[in-house]
Amino acid sequence: MLTKITSIDAFQNLVKNKSEFYFLKHSNTCPISASAFEEFQKFHYERDMDGYYLIVQDHRELSNYISESYDIKHESPQAFYFSGGKVKWHDSHGKITLTTLASVED
C-alpha cells in the first residue's frame, strides 16, 4: 500500500520509525512521473509492502526539505531507498522502473 506523506513532521517520523522504505517524489502534471508512479505502485503491490510518496505541487516544502537534508538535487519524479535513516539509493525519471526498484536491495 502507498501512503502519501504531507508534512516534514510525518516524514521525520517515517525515517525515525521505519528501518527501510522506498519514497517517491511525484509530479501530478508530468507524464514521465505518471509512468514512474505506476511502476512504484506495481513494485509495492507485487511485494505486499508499504511505500511512501509526496506530490511535489502540493508539498513543495517537504520536497525541498528532503533535497536539502540529504544533499540530493531535486528532480521529479525521483525515487529513494532509505535504510537506517540514510538514502542508500536514488534515481529519477525513466530510471524508476519495476526492475530498477527490485534491484536496489540486491
Side-chain angles (χ1 to χ4, degrees):
M1 181 176 89
L2 296 185
T3 302
K4 187 185 331 179
I5 302 298
T6 60
S7 70
I8 292 171
D9 284 344
F11 180 78
Q12 288 173 331
N13 285 334
L14 180 62
V15 171
K16 180 181 175 184
N17 295 317
K18 293 280 282 183
S19 61
E20 299 176 323
F21 64 94
Y22 288 84
F23 194 90
L24 180 72
K25 289 184 176 184
H26 172 56
S27 167
N28 60 7
T29 58
C30 171
I32 295 169
S33 193
S35 177
F37 189 78
E38 188 175 302
E39 293 285 302
F40 194 75
Q41 280 182 309
K42 266 192 263 186
F43 172 77
H44 287 85
Y45 177 77
E46 288 180 2
R47 285 154 184 78
D48 192 27
M49 62 191 280
D50 293 333
Y52 305 88
Y53 72 100
L54 66 79
I55 296 174
V56 175
Q57 290 88 341
D58 297 339
H59 304 101
R60 176 70 63 187
E61 184 181 10
L62 174 55
S63 178
N64 290 341
Y65 171 82
I66 294 169
S67 295
E68 292 165 8
S69 296
Y70 296 94
D71 197 28
I72 297 171
K73 180 182 178 259
H74 166 77
E75 297 189 64
S76 178
Q78 188 173 35
F80 303 85
Y81 174 66
F82 287 85
S83 179
K86 297 179 182 177
V87 175
K88 297 296 185 181
W89 169 88
H90 65 93
D91 219 327
S92 66
H93 295 85
K95 294 178 182 172
I96 302 169
T97 65
L98 193 58
T99 303
T100 303
L101 291 166
S103 70
V104 169
E105 293 181 305
D106 294 341

